[in-house]
Amino acid sequence: MAEERRIRVLMAKPGLDGHDRGARVLTLGLRDEGMEVIYTGLRQTPDKIVEAAIQEDVDVVGLSCLSGAHRYLFPEVVEGLRERGAQDVMVIGGGIIAKEDIPFLKEKGIDAVFGPGTPVKEIANYIRENAKRK
Amino acid sequence: MEMVQKMLAGSDLSLARLITLVERDAPEVPEIMGSIYPHLGNAHFVGFTGPPGGGKSTLVDRLTAVMRRRGFSVGIVACDPTSPFSGGAVLGDRIRMQQHYLDKGVFIRSMATRGSRGGLPRAARGVIKLLDAFGRDFVLVETVGVGQTELDIMEAADTTVVVLVPEAGDTIQTMKAGLLEIADIFVVNKADREGADYLGMELEQMLRMSSRESSWQAPVLTTQAINDIGTEELYQEIERHREVLRDTGRLSLRRQEQRKGEFIETIEQGIRARLLELVERDGRLMASLERVEKGEVDPYSASMEILTNKTLLQGWLAELERER
Ligand code: B12
Ligand SMILES: Nc1nc2c(ncn2[C@@H]2O[C@H](COP(=O)(O)OP(=O)(O)OP(=O)(O)O)[C@@H](O)[C@H]2O)c(=O)[nH]1
Ligand SMILES: [Mg+2]
């Protein structure tokens, strides 16, 4: 009997930013929403995040950044996934991200950005409705 | 199957996606397993089990480094429990293995236990086979440390390592039944803490009293995984166990048993799934179910009514025949 489909999420903290509360809150929150969440820990380089996403075959890569380095780090991850042939993986981000950066990030292939105060439920619903892979 | 060919040629992306199919028990699974079959048999499977937080992931990480230094490739399957409430899971073992993320000779996959009640997800056996076919020399499997229901790792692994910590001293009496019997190697990790030597001695004593087969006496090692102390010795014991398995013919015997088991199991699963589907569609069965639910008939008499009803059974068989 085929298993029902489980959404797999890689929750990653790129760069040197040490604010991990948001990533942890989201890791537990998405688990409670029925997803399998792989947490890779602090201070990941974009290429490490890409390799982990490939091996774990996740539906979604979640990037959390509160240090301001998202303009560089987020697009690197999208680019890496594309180079490795995994362009169908959804990439979303959150943390302290200025409104005016969002159009830039979307243009670089980040599917959505969620700021402080977003309820986990809203993020979970977005993932369920938009994860590209079947 | 194209994806299998790509995987065999070294594509980790294809390997990852095949694992997902196996994990999901997709309809392609028999075909996948069939086509990797000729490529199996190279890898040595090592299982790690023991109480939560004992240092299994850290130990796997350090042992992987030892194996890499010797030029062996490694596949890791790291399991964590599925939440019975939401069906979700946090898979955190990988955090301890960061030094290997960019090493092409190390493939790490995290798995949730999903429906399985033991420490191992149901699909884990298929996944370690994929890693074998992918050409990994060692496949290291970290189970969920639940303590009692660990028999499935023993069945899946060639060498089972039970990881304990000094604090486990008090509980060892109660664990005896399960963990002691399945271990090929004991590790007392966190030996930087008090009580490690004592626990080690206690274990040795217990082992001497137990009457296990004689070709292998499970050694007791002490390690400090965080300080990378004792991991080289652990590697050597694994290697030694592997040789004993091979030289005594027990390895091929095990493989025979495993193949037999899988054959029966797959048939069982297939029949059950198909039959259940038919049964669900069958109005007569549903009617009985309702009566059982309401308490009008007891479940046993109701099931006997069905199991002894020849026309009903023949009808299902005919239906199966038509669907083929
Ligand atoms: C708590 C905190 C800390 C704690 C962090 C503890 C920890 N382990 O996380 C401590 C005290 C250690 C700390 C230190 C620093 N902090 Co601080 N810190 C904060 C504070 C007050 C709250 C952050 C927080 O935990 N929020 C709660 C969580 C749940 O919210 P969140 O992370 O925003 O996550 C939500 C969303 O953003 C989104 N989300 C987040 N990640 C992701 C990922 C995905 C995939 C998705 C979909 C959504 C998503 O969903 C979450 C739920 O809604 C913020 C100010 C603020 N109001 O945000 C400053 C703040 C982030 N810190 C700041 C700074 C500058 C620092 C320091 C550099 C030094 C300093 N001056 O204090 C150090 C650096 C630490 C380091 N090593 O990187 C600045 C950053 C400025 C910037 N980016 O331009 C902020 C904004 C304060 C400010 N206004 O100046 N900090
Ligand atoms: N003092 C000490 N701590 C250790 C040692 N080995 C591991 N640890 C720590 O023990 C904690 C748990 O280690 P893990 O490797 O995650 O243990 P685990 O058995 O995989 O845990 P679960 O997967 O959650 O069951 C971590 O904080 C490690 O740093 C050791 O030799 N000594
Ligand atoms: Mg672990």
Side-chain angles (χ1 to χ4, degrees):
Chain A
M1 231 175 313
E3 276 263 353
E4 117 196 45
R5 188 134 166 45
R6 283 306 145 81
I7 294 177
R8 286 169 66 88
V9 182
L10 183 79
M11 190 58 63
K13 290 270 325 153
L16 300 176
D17 172 30
H19 294 90
D20 61 355
R21 217 192 273 166
R24 284 174 188 277
V25 165
L26 223 58
T27 296
L28 296 177
L30 293 178
R31 175 201 61 192
D32 293 339
E33 289 288 330
M35 301 181 191
E36 291 181 355
V37 190
I38 297 134
Y39 183 56
T40 56
L42 287 172
R43 305 200 176 85
Q44 301 292 306
T45 55
D47 52 352
K48 280 188 170 184
I49 294 170
V50 169
E51 288 311 314
I54 298 277
Q55 295 181 354
E56 299 288 355
D57 194 23
V58 291
D59 305 277
V60 184
V61 173
L63 303 170
S64 180
C65 183
L66 284 75
S67 71
H70 53 267
R71 279 179 67 94
Y72 162 72
L73 294 166
F74 288 11
E76 284 277 294
V77 172
V78 174
E79 189 49 40
L81 285 170
R82 194 164 4 207
E83 273 169 25
R84 298 282 270 108
Q87 55 283 341
D88 51 355
V89 174
M90 173 197 265
V91 181
I92 58 177
I96 305 294
I97 291 168
K99 274 213 169 53
E100 47 283 17
D101 285 348
I102 294 178
F104 167 81
L105 291 175
K106 289 202 166 159
E107 189 188 310
K108 291 288 179 186
I110 286 85
D111 293 280
V113 175
F114 300 90
T118 316
V120 173
K121 193 110 206 156
E122 186 181 323
I123 296 168
N125 286 338
Y126 178 85
I127 292 173
R128 275 193 284 263
E129 280 158 30
N130 298 284
K132 291 173 245 181
R133 300 188 40 206
K134 275 282 129 9
Chain B
M1 206 183 173
E2 197 192 335
M3 219 190 285
V4 172
Q5 293 317 316
K6 281 191 186 157
M7 181 273 283
L8 291 172
S11 160
D12 48 3
L13 185 68
S14 299
L15 171 64
R17 300 210 157 169
L18 287 166
I19 291 176
T20 301
L21 290 175
V22 168
E23 208 179 9
R24 232 182 255 164
D25 199 8
E28 297 91 332
V29 170
E31 191 193 341
I32 295 170
M33 288 303 161
S35 48
I36 64 169
Y37 184 75
H39 305 273
L40 299 181
N42 169 58
H44 189 73
F45 302 138
V46 188
F48 292 81
T49 189
K56 298 180 291 295
S57 303
T58 314
L59 208 56
V60 165
D61 172 71
R62 300 301 144 94
L63 187 64
T64 299
V66 173
M67 290 169 168
R68 292 298 293 141
R69 280 199 292 275
R70 289 171 188 253
F72 295 117
S73 60
V74 179
I76 299 171
V77 179
C79 308
D80 274 310
T82 291
S83 154
F85 304 106
S86 68
V90 173
L91 309 175
D93 295 319
R94 200 177 232 286
I95 298 184
R96 315 258 177 241
M97 308 174 186
Q98 300 198 16
Q99 57 170 318
H100 306 294
Y101 281 13
L102 294 179
D103 180 353
K104 287 282 174 198
V106 180
F107 186 100
I108 307 169
R109 181 65 172 240
S110 312
M111 290 182 80
T113 48
R114 298 201 178 170
S116 162
R117 249 169 279 147
L120 211 57
R122 234 178 269 134
R125 274 196 244 180
V127 172
I128 62 180
K129 286 216 177 71
L130 283 170
L131 287 162
D132 182 4
F134 189 59
R136 295 288 123 145
D137 298 310
F138 285 94
V139 178
L140 312 181
V141 184
E142 178 185 341
T143 73
V144 177
V146 283
Q148 290 297 337
T149 47
E150 292 295 304
L151 287 169
D152 35 356
I153 186 63
M154 188 186 77
E155 276 164 26
D158 300 321
T159 302
T160 301
V161 181
V162 170
V163 183
L164 300 170
V165 288
E167 294 78 43
D170 303 333
T171 51
I172 192 133
Q173 293 297 335
T174 55
M175 294 192 311
K176 179 157 77 168
L179 284 180
L180 289 194
E181 258 92 81
I182 66 168
D184 297 307
I185 297 172
F186 283 99
V187 167
V188 178
N189 189 40
K190 305 199 184 183
D192 49 314
R193 294 196 187 159
E194 217 172 310
D197 290 338
Y198 180 72
L199 175 60
M201 264 157 41
E202 215 176 14
L203 278 170
E204 302 249 19
Q205 210 166 21
M206 243 175 226
L207 289 169
R208 241 175 286 137
M209 290 188 306
S210 82
S211 52
R212 280 190 54 172
E213 39 158 333
S214 54
S215 68
W216 178 259
Q217 180 72 45
V220 179
L221 307 175
T222 50
T223 60
Q224 298 178 28
I226 38 163
N227 300 320
D228 203 12
I229 293 177
T231 29
E232 180 69 36
E233 288 77 2
L234 174 57
Y235 168 76
Q236 276 164 16
E237 287 300 320
I238 291 170
E239 209 34 92
R240 197 165 68 83
H241 185 240
R242 178 188 205 174
E243 274 161 29
V244 169
L245 283 180
R246 207 186 305 144
D247 298 346
T248 55
R250 272 170 55 212
L251 192 61
S252 52
L253 212 70
R254 279 186 63 99
R255 294 279 194 263
Q256 274 172 29
E257 287 299 319
Q258 284 167 350
R259 282 196 293 267
K260 239 168 42 184
E262 277 162 37
F263 174 61
I264 303 283
E265 215 171 279
T266 311
I267 291 182
E268 232 171 52
Q269 277 172 5
I271 291 180
R272 197 208 286 234
R274 284 228 223 127
L275 223 49
L276 275 179
E277 238 177 79
L278 287 175
V279 166
E280 270 167 14
R281 274 189 268 150
D282 195 313
R284 281 166 298 186
L285 189 97
M286 283 302 156
S288 306
L289 189 64
E290 219 164 276
R291 284 170 57 220
V292 170
E293 240 176 3
K294 288 193 187 132
E296 291 169 11
V297 206
D298 74 280
Y300 302 92
S301 311
S303 49
M304 279 324 280
E305 253 172 56
I306 289 181
L307 291 173
T308 52
N309 184 336
K310 273 209 185 104
T311 49
L312 206 57
L313 295 177
Q314 274 162 1
W316 290 341
L317 283 178
E319 185 100 6
L320 272 181
E321 192 64 32
R322 228 174 301 135
E323 282 187 1
R324 270 203 306 158

